[in-house]
Amino acid sequence: MADALFDREVERSRKAGKANMAIALVFFAAVFLLFPMLRGRQTASQMLAWDDGVFTLTLPDGESHAIPYDTIQGLELIEDPDYGECVSGTSDRQFKYGLWRNDALGEYVLCNFRSFQRVMQVTTADGIYWIGYESEATTASIYESFSEELLKN
């Protein structure tokens, strides 16, 4: 009888050890796999800011472009952009960003979340910026809001 009780206690301890191991594996997977992915995501408020007559575009690598409203020569929505090639920056599953070049524009700054086709083009005397965020509908909404903001100033 003591042997049976001992065997049950060993079996219960072994099962508890397996459960603890499974919980630990799930925890470490969440910490080491999910956290870096979530930490890398930027929100629109982190990428795009409008403050006191200045539009600021911050690329995922931290590079920032401050564009005063009074330097903006044009704002339009590009439905089917020709991205061309990356000069310096990156193109991955989440973003296309950095300095790019195509035949029509030459060099321009691109910040496009998830590489959607529709982008907002901001043209200044100093350069051209293509911006896309979250979805084509969100990009269009940002364009509409920014157009209205520019008309007020």
Side-chain angles (χ1 to χ4, degrees):
M1 180 139 158
D3 286 336
L5 186 58
F6 178 75
D7 289 342
R8 276 187 274 164
E9 197 58 38
V10 168
E11 183 63 25
R12 188 176 320 150
S13 177
R14 190 176 62 79
K15 286 182 182 178
K18 283 183 179 180
N20 287 340
M21 180 63 80
I23 290 169
L25 286 174
V26 169
F27 173 76
F28 284 116
V31 168
F32 290 109
L33 297 177
L34 294 178
F35 182 71
M37 290 188 314
L38 295 175
R39 191 175 57 99
R41 290 188 90 177
Q42 285 192 313
T43 63
S45 63
Q46 293 169 317
M47 286 177 56
L48 311 173
W50 294 264
D51 189 37
D52 293 330
V54 177
F55 168 62
T56 304
L57 170 65
T58 303
L59 303 180
D61 64 1
E63 181 181 330
S64 187
H65 299 268
I67 306 165
Y69 290 177
D70 60 2
T71 66
I72 296 174
Q73 298 172 340
L75 184 69
E76 63 182 292
L77 201 57
I78 308 295
E79 294 292 333
D80 191 22
D82 170 17
Y83 294 109
E85 60 186 20
C86 181
V87 175
S88 65
T90 193
S91 177
D92 59 27
R93 289 184 350 191
Q94 189 174 8
F95 288 102
K96 283 185 179 183
Y97 69 90
L99 186 62
W100 287 62
R101 177 184 306 125
N102 70 19
D103 291 337
L105 301 174
E107 290 187 349
Y108 66 96
V109 175
L110 173 66
C111 185
N112 198 5
F113 184 77
R114 293 200 181 163
S115 303
F116 289 106
Q117 288 300 306
R118 183 180 289 171
V119 295
M120 175 177 71
Q121 178 174 303
V122 179
T123 304
T124 71
D126 296 327
I128 296 175
Y129 304 85
W130 277 6
I131 301 128
Y133 186 78
E134 195 175 272
S135 70
E136 290 187 0
T138 302
T139 299
S141 177
I142 290 169
Y143 165 76
E144 293 296 327
S145 297
F146 194 23
S147 294
E148 292 172 12
E149 180 70 19
L150 287 175
L151 288 174
K152 292 178 191 175
N153 290 297

